[in-house]
Amino acid sequence: MVTRRRVLAAGIATGSAAVTGASLVPLLAARQAEAADASAAGTTPLTIELFKVPMPLIPVARPVSTAHGVDTYEVTTRKTIKEILPGIQTELLTYDGQFPGATIKARKNRPVRIIQRNGLDVPISRHLHGASVPQDSDGSPMDTIAPGGERTYTYPNKQPHASLWYHDHAHHSESESVYRGLQGSYLISDCTEDALPLPKGKYDVLIQIRDADFDQSGQLLYAMSDRNRNSLLVNGAPYPYFEVAARKYRLRFANTSNMRFFELRLADGSDLIQIGSDGGLLPSPNTTKSVYLSSGERADVVIDFSRYPVGTQVVLQNTAGRGPVEQVGQVMRFDVTRTADDPSSVPSVLRTLPPLPAPTGSRTIVLRMDEDGRPDPQAYMDDKLYDPERIDAVVPYGASEIWTVTNANVKAAHNFHMHLIQFRVIERGGKAPGPAESGLKDTVVLQPGETVKLQATFDTYAGEYVYHCHMLDHSAMGMMATMKIR
Ligand code: C2O
Ligand code: CU
């Protein structure tokens, strides 16, 4: 077992092969962006052992009522003390004491109603990321629930199957509140998905990955743009192991970090089959060595563990992002402990997406933040800071628009998330997007200098919705804007 010690030097430290073993690949961490961003605030040493704890399975939320074809849930946000690191009690912000929040399983065309109470001393807003919902249930940044307050959100679930997630969105506090635990998954299923012979039931597993910065006493440290969030949590547990059978699993990865990007691969370099992205299944499976997830993105992946003899342990590695490789280069371990029948398979066609309508308009979006090292950097959408009173884009209801989104920074990475819409990626860097972006997306990465063209069709709800960088520290700094669909 490897013991790792928090490295005092901030920023990019090179990993020691002696500590981590031969299975570690070199981190691609030397992205200039991240090197330049590294600041010097170190934290005290804290030892977290790798692969010591089992990966928790995130519990499924239970409705308080299923009457009249609507599933109703009652949820309260509250402070909770929980054991995250072995033997240490950590204070968290939670939905009903769960870290991460319980998974809501929804069914297409069956509405979900959430009676949300706020037991915290900060305002909250409950946003369902990736969902098509009326404005008053979007949980937008200014539409908050005061401490002690309550409101009801209604989600129609008219969209196709998708692996969505919910999180706090109260402007300025969302970054810290999400970091401290206000997040969970929301899965919509439908007949299209049911009909496929994919791994199901206990072989369909949610894996939420995020980073954290623990102080010496094991409390979560929060500072805007903290460069020391170098401890990884999987379903709320540090670097866990997951005991699997030698058969296929569907693993629904979600990057729920505020800022960190992951590139996930198996240590032996064997294949992953990506079958889904933000907005549900891809048109066809994509066999790949790795999946790349910026903050907020999801990827459904099938791994066939039958290729490993029982007794094999295979590490899930991360090759993206800043930080010491011995802390951020290994995420979790799959331990193949038994055999099992496997009636599942991955068909060559997963779904058919409707053809894209002819575009009715276009606009450009520029993401940029101060990256000259000034003490109080701000982040802009089209050179403006977020102003909730301002409408930045007026979109005619029913329009299908091409949005050309550019990251104008030379060092900082961003990503782009639009509320309400599952869009299509048309071009990345002037070329057709890769297979990982062939499905429906609600969040796309933008490396420094990169341009992505997407097509969004606004035919579900009218109203005001935000779009923003999903590196939550950036959106809290101002990289957010409002569109009005009318
Ligand atoms: Cu994940 Cu504005 O949202
Ligand atoms: Cu950003």
Side-chain angles (χ1 to χ4, degrees), residues 11-12 27-39 227 292 319-323 371 407 409-413 447-449:
I12 313 285
L27 268 198
L28 306 178
R31 285 210 171 96
Q32 268 194 335
E34 295 158 355
D37 267 351
S39 66
R227 303 295 173 223
Y292 193 95
T319 58
R322 67 170 66 82
E371 56 180 350
N407 175 357
N409 280 108
V410 295
K411 295 184 283 189
Q447 301 294 354

Side-chain angles (χ1 to χ4, degrees), residues 92-310:
L92 305 162
L93 304 187
T94 66
Y95 293 102
D96 282 340
Q98 314 264 25
F99 179 82
T103 302
I104 292 183
K105 291 203 171 172
R107 188 73 190 163
K108 185 179 177 188
N109 291 327
R110 184 179 168 91
V112 161
R113 207 155 55 111
I114 307 234
I115 301 166
Q116 177 70 59
R117 304 194 174 97
N118 184 7
L120 298 172
D121 49 15
V122 290
I124 59 161
S125 174
R126 186 185 175 110
H127 172 57
L128 184 53
H129 178 124
S132 179
V133 299
Q135 183 188 322
D136 61 1
S137 284
D138 184 49
S140 69
M142 308 307 291
D143 196 3
T144 56
I145 310 172
E150 168 184 321
R151 81 179 277 171
T152 300
Y153 298 91
T154 304
Y155 305 139
N157 297 320
K158 293 211 177 100
Q159 70 198 92
H161 69 269
S163 305
L164 309 181
W165 64 303
Y166 60 88
H167 60 79
D168 183 52
H169 216 312
H171 189 44
H172 281 312
S173 54
E174 82 279 51
S175 168
E176 177 162 1
S177 294
V178 172
Y179 173 79
R180 293 195 182 280
L182 293 190
Q183 56 186 36
S185 284
Y186 185 105
L187 310 178
I188 305 177
S189 61
D190 65 8
C191 304
T192 311
E193 187 185 30
D194 290 353
L196 298 171
L198 297 168
K200 290 186 169 73
K202 63 180 174 182
Y203 302 111
D204 174 359
V205 179
L206 193 61
I207 301 188
Q208 281 201 10
I209 306 176
R210 57 160 294 176
D211 60 3
D213 182 4
F214 290 100
D215 71 11
Q216 192 171 20
S217 65
Q219 299 310 306
L220 283 171
L221 284 170
Y222 178 83
M224 198 77 128
S225 298
D226 182 358
R227 303 295 173 223
N228 298 305
R229 294 176 194 156
N230 292 329
S231 298
L232 303 185
L233 301 177
V234 180
N235 292 354
Y239 309 96
Y241 64 86
F242 179 39
E243 293 186 347
V244 295
R247 55 155 286 159
K248 288 186 279 309
Y249 280 71
R250 174 178 184 176
L251 304 174
R252 304 189 192 221
F253 290 106
N255 177 0
T256 58
S257 305
N258 279 33
M259 301 288 283
R260 179 174 295 282
F261 296 179
F262 293 102
E263 183 163 22
L264 303 171
R265 71 183 304 274
L266 290 168
D268 65 347
S270 60
D271 286 341
L272 310 169
I273 305 171
Q274 185 179 1
I275 58 165
S277 62
D278 301 341
L281 294 167
L282 301 177
S284 53
N286 169 34
T287 299
T288 178
K289 296 295 179 202
S290 66
V291 287
Y292 193 95
L293 292 177
S294 70
S295 317
E297 285 186 289
R298 288 88 66 208
D300 281 24
V301 166
V302 171
I303 298 182
D304 189 354
F305 294 102
S306 72
R307 63 184 165 229
Y308 302 113
V310 169

